[in-house]
Amino acid sequence: MKDIITLAIESSCDETSAAILKNGREVISNIVATQIDLHKKFGGVVPEVASRKHVENIDAVIQSALDEAGMIFDDIDIIGVTHGPGLVGALLVGLSTAKALAFALNKPLVGVNHIEGHISANFIQHKELEPPFICLIVSGGHTHLAEVKDYGKYEILGRTRDDAAGEAFDKIARAMKLGYPGGPIIDRLSKIGNKDSIKFPRIYLEDDSYDFSFSGLKSSVLNYLNAKKMKNEDIVVEDVAASFQQSVVEVLTNKAIKAAKEKGYDKIILAGGVAANSGLREMLINECKNYNIDVKYPSLDLCTDNAAMIGCAAYYDYINGKVDDLSLNAVPNLKLGQK
Amino acid sequence: MKVLGIDTSSKAASVAIMEDNKLISEYTINNNKTHSQKLMPIIENMFKLNEMSANDIDLISVCIGPGSFTGLRIGVATAKAIAHVRDIPVVVVNSLEALSFNVSMTNKTVCPMIDAQKKQVYTCKYSWDKDSLLKVEDIDVKKVEDLAEELKSSLEEFVLIGEGVDLHKEVFGNINNVYIAPNSHRASRASSICEIGIEKFKKGDTKNHYEVVPYYIRKSQAEVQYDEKMKRLKEDGK
Ligand SMILES: [Zn+2]
């Protein structure tokens, strides 16, 4: 069979990215232009600022992906692009570019669900990995627990009812004036701090629910910080960070293991930016040992937003028969499993 | 030489193909669907019906604004990508100049308006000198009420065009020295983008696709607020 070369584009938030893959799992190039520094002064991603930067960067990022792969446009067989979920203005830059490329090259267009992209990062990292498995997807924008039944076939078991896990990290980091993005900073401080020093709540919701809620935990940490401030007492940021992170990590770990046991799976796969969190990785691996559950996660560069993961998901969608027409629109709240 | 023109600066999505000075095809959709849903399907259809492909195009002329930020990005990203694949030059055209091209050879002053939201419009003024269009005032964002007052108190006669007229008909409809261009001329048209583009190309005023960005005029709201905050802090610090 002839190789299928995918050109993939991702612009759903603050990274402009393009990648080239061979047969879905072999990354030939993966260029990511991050805008983190641009958004730092605002304390978070500003959609209009992100959209403007995407349009400035996108063709240079695509050309870099081609150059690094030693390819030209004519080598491309399919175009994959994130069409949701994400910031609508940001999504539209990548999507408009991808549609125009598909038209000019006369090649099929495949719209990809960004969350499925995060899951697919694991297929790139672990060449032998095959569905089915339980997948815990945690990032700044989403927190999902899903049963991955086959390539492109998902059942959502639970999701956050309020804040995404990564969002809670950002908000706590902001409250302690630690900087942005909050996740990596809190993770780093947690390694120094005492995770048992402050007892923050673990919110499990109903017994039979796989859903998550982080807003209560967030308020509890903010209240703690406020109370300390009122009493003019010093805050040990490392201890707050470690105790907060432990609360998040415990709930995520326990729910993921519960899902694996109840649904009869021996694999838990981590995906999304928060999959880079060392506390989460450690606890999940340690706990899963007790149940003979295998834990896998992608390398750091595949955890955060990148086009290679989108290209992998596009490839499996494509060989399963999915091709989009040029009226494909951005869907900012696209759900996992929705195409 | 064949040029593909694209305009997504207002609600209307318009595309055209022009060969030298002959219009081959023009499509405009002025409904409420998003540019993302409209633009590529009309481009695809236009090429199909003309039995042409992107390979037949030698130049892309694209409207860079001012106008709806999201709309501009859709048009500009599309133009950049096609130019990238084809390795052809891009000409950038401003939306208000292109609109003014719709009412050619008038002896009145042309005043185009594109919605800038919050009861404001992007506007400027042009006049025709024989067959050339001259800009007589710089592009600005004006409050609809202020612009109406300004026109009313002027001794000149004006022709109004652009979606701003439709959105604010009650404000501009009854001014004595103001004429509203007919429906067929009011919406943005990519044939005007092509025509201006060809003239610019002849003068060597082309760009590489990497350099092409929308012309927003305004900073983002977040940047405006940030700048204000910094200014306040600086003043407090004095
Ligand atoms: Zn993501």
Side-chain angles (χ1 to χ4, degrees):
Chain A
M1 212 173 80
K2 190 192 163 291
D3 288 333
I4 294 179
I5 304 294
T6 306
L7 167 63
I9 296 171
E10 152 67 34
S11 70
S12 65
C13 190
D14 60 344
E15 330 275 358
T16 320
S17 181
I20 293 175
L21 296 89
K22 188 163 131 188
N23 299 328
R25 286 174 100 133
E26 189 185 326
V27 179
I28 306 179
S29 63
N30 188 18
I31 307 294
V32 182
T34 182
Q35 304 177 2
I36 286 184
D37 286 340
L38 189 66
H39 297 280
K40 255 180 191 153
K41 68 175 185 184
F42 303 112
V45 177
V46 180
E48 177 60 25
V49 173
S51 306
R52 290 184 180 196
K53 203 69 195 169
H54 283 309
V55 96
E56 282 172 33
N57 284 346
I58 193 142
D59 35 4
V61 168
I62 291 169
Q63 189 56 47
S64 299
L66 286 166
D67 290 346
E68 207 178 292
M71 288 190 178
I72 56 170
F73 278 120
D74 285 338
D75 296 319
I76 304 302
D77 298 305
I78 64 171
I79 313 274
V81 63
T82 308
H83 76 117
L87 304 168
V88 67
L91 286 165
L92 282 169
V93 175
L95 180 60
S96 303
T97 302
K99 293 197 311 187
L101 292 178
F103 163 73
L105 293 167
N106 199 19
K107 298 290 178 188
L109 173 78
V110 182
V112 173
N113 182 312
H114 179 83
I115 308 171
E116 296 185 17
H118 275 302
I119 297 171
S120 303
N122 282 284
F123 296 133
I124 296 171
Q125 186 77 49
H126 310 287
K127 299 296 174 215
E128 74 298 345
L129 178 67
E130 301 269 357
F133 49 76
I134 291 291
C135 192
L136 176 64
I137 309 127
V138 237
S139 77
H142 17 261
T143 309
H144 284 88
L145 194 55
E147 210 178 329
V148 179
K149 296 181 163 176
D150 201 345
Y151 294 105
K153 271 186 83 180
Y154 311 91
E155 187 168 330
I156 301 170
L157 302 174
R159 71 186 86 184
T160 181
R161 291 186 187 168
D162 37 63
D163 294 354
E167 209 177 335
F169 275 90
D170 281 341
K171 284 178 182 166
I172 299 303
R174 195 180 308 160
M176 294 197 283
K177 299 195 166 61
L178 299 176
Y180 170 85
I185 300 169
I186 289 194
D187 192 23
R188 202 178 61 233
L189 293 172
S190 294
K191 288 179 184 155
I192 315 163
N194 175 1
K195 64 179 168 32
D196 302 314
S197 56
I198 311 153
K199 196 69 191 159
F200 291 128
R202 273 74 170 149
I203 295 160
Y204 284 95
L205 304 166
E206 306 82 35
D207 275 349
D208 59 345
S209 175
Y210 290 117
D211 280 351
F212 302 95
S213 167
F214 296 104
S215 71
L217 168 63
K218 183 190 69 191
S219 317
S220 163
V221 178
L222 296 179
N223 288 342
Y224 170 87
L225 294 173
N226 254 332
K228 283 281 182 185
K229 197 174 159 193
M230 301 289 260
K231 286 187 258 174
N232 256 330
E233 290 175 5
D234 283 341
I235 294 162
V236 186
V237 285
E238 293 84 358
D239 287 350
V240 179
S243 302
F244 159 73
Q245 176 161 310
Q246 185 60 19
S247 284
V248 176
V249 162
E250 251 183 63
V251 175
L252 291 172
T253 301
N254 289 333
K255 291 232 178 195
I257 292 176
K258 180 171 173 253
K261 284 199 304 188
E262 285 180 4
K263 303 279 173 184
Y265 289 97
D266 61 357
K267 274 182 276 190
I268 294 177
I269 307 301
L270 275 179
V274 183
N277 184 281
S278 63
L280 177 60
R281 288 178 174 188
E282 264 164 46
M283 185 172 183
L284 194 61
I285 291 169
N286 281 334
E287 291 297 312
C288 281
K289 274 184 195 149
N290 301 329
Y291 305 99
N292 274 326
I293 298 171
D294 188 22
V295 177
K296 283 187 165 41
Y297 45 79
S299 60
L300 181 63
D301 55 326
L302 288 171
C303 280
T304 47
D305 290 351
N306 67 89
M309 68 185 200
I310 301 303
C312 179
Y315 170 82
Y316 284 107
D317 276 346
Y318 177 71
I319 59 172
N320 286 324
K322 183 183 191 274
V323 172
D324 288 293
D325 66 43
L326 297 184
S327 65
L328 183 69
N329 204 359
V331 187
N333 55 359
L334 191 69
K335 304 279 185 295
L336 180 63
Q338 273 180 352
K339 300 284 179 185
Chain B
M1 189 186 68
K2 291 195 185 75
V3 52
L4 167 64
I6 298 174
D7 190 325
T8 52
S9 59
S10 64
K11 203 176 79 180
S14 185
V15 297
I17 301 171
M18 201 175 269
E19 181 168 16
D20 300 318
N21 282 326
K22 184 177 143 235
L23 177 64
I24 296 178
S25 194
E26 180 170 37
Y27 270 59
T28 300
I29 299 193
N30 197 11
N31 65 14
N32 284 327
K33 283 194 174 170
T34 65
H35 284 299
S36 177
Q37 294 165 296
K38 290 186 280 200
L39 181 63
M40 276 320 299
I42 58 175
I43 289 180
E44 192 181 31
N45 260 304
M46 177 171 70
F47 276 85
K48 202 183 276 173
L49 286 175
N50 287 290
E51 291 170 352
M52 285 167 67
S53 80
N55 292 337
D56 297 313
I57 295 299
D58 310 294
L59 176 70
I60 298 199
S61 186
V62 63
C63 175
I64 53 165
S68 135
F69 296 165
T70 303
L72 294 175
R73 279 191 288 266
I74 290 171
V76 166
T78 302
K80 281 161 78 88
I82 298 174
H84 193 178
V85 168
R86 292 277 301 109
D87 195 20
I88 51 175
V90 180
V91 188
V92 300
V93 178
N94 108 44
S95 55
L96 299 169
E97 182 181 354
L99 270 173
S100 304
F101 223 81
N102 292 356
V103 279
S104 52
M105 319 297 170
T106 174
N107 53 10
K108 299 178 176 60
T109 302
V110 183
C111 177
M113 303 175 213
I114 288 180
D115 186 26
Q117 299 181 323
K118 299 177 189 162
K119 292 201 166 165
Q120 295 178 321
V121 287
Y122 300 109
T123 186
C124 65
K125 293 187 188 71
Y126 287 90
S127 68
W128 282 93
D129 177 28
K130 287 195 184 148
D131 56 354
S132 51
L133 187 63
L134 305 173
K135 188 162 81 176
V136 291
E137 183 191 284
D138 278 333
I139 295 177
D140 202 353
V141 189
K142 289 185 182 172
K143 281 188 188 148
V144 170
E145 309 293 334
D146 293 351
L147 178 60
E149 275 311 310
E150 179 199 319
L151 298 178
K152 220 179 275 178
S153 57
S154 169
L155 299 173
E156 286 175 60
E157 291 190 315
F158 298 94
V159 186
L160 304 193
I161 47 167
E163 66 179 358
V165 187
D166 299 296
L167 288 166
H168 307 290
K169 227 168 200 158
E170 72 295 343
V171 183
F172 296 106
N174 299 312
I175 307 176
N176 276 334
N177 55 335
V178 162
Y179 301 83
I180 291 177
N183 261 307
S184 56
H185 291 55
R186 233 154 40 226
S188 308
R189 289 170 135 187
S191 51
S192 299
I193 300 288
C194 288
E195 197 148 0
I196 296 170
I198 290 171
E199 287 311 309
K200 281 188 137 183
F201 176 81
K202 283 182 190 159
K203 289 182 198 141
D205 189 4
T206 62
K207 283 187 190 305
N208 185 287
H209 63 88
Y210 290 117
E211 310 167 88
V212 178
V213 285
Y215 173 48
Y216 299 105
I217 295 194
R218 285 172 162 176
K219 283 185 172 185
S220 70
Q221 196 56 32
E223 284 170 298
V224 172
Q225 283 166 352
Y226 181 82
D227 291 348
E228 278 168 7
K229 190 175 124 193
M230 285 297 129
K231 205 173 134 201
R232 256 194 335 266
L233 288 175
K234 214 172 164 187
E235 276 164 10
D236 289 351
K238 268 178 197 159

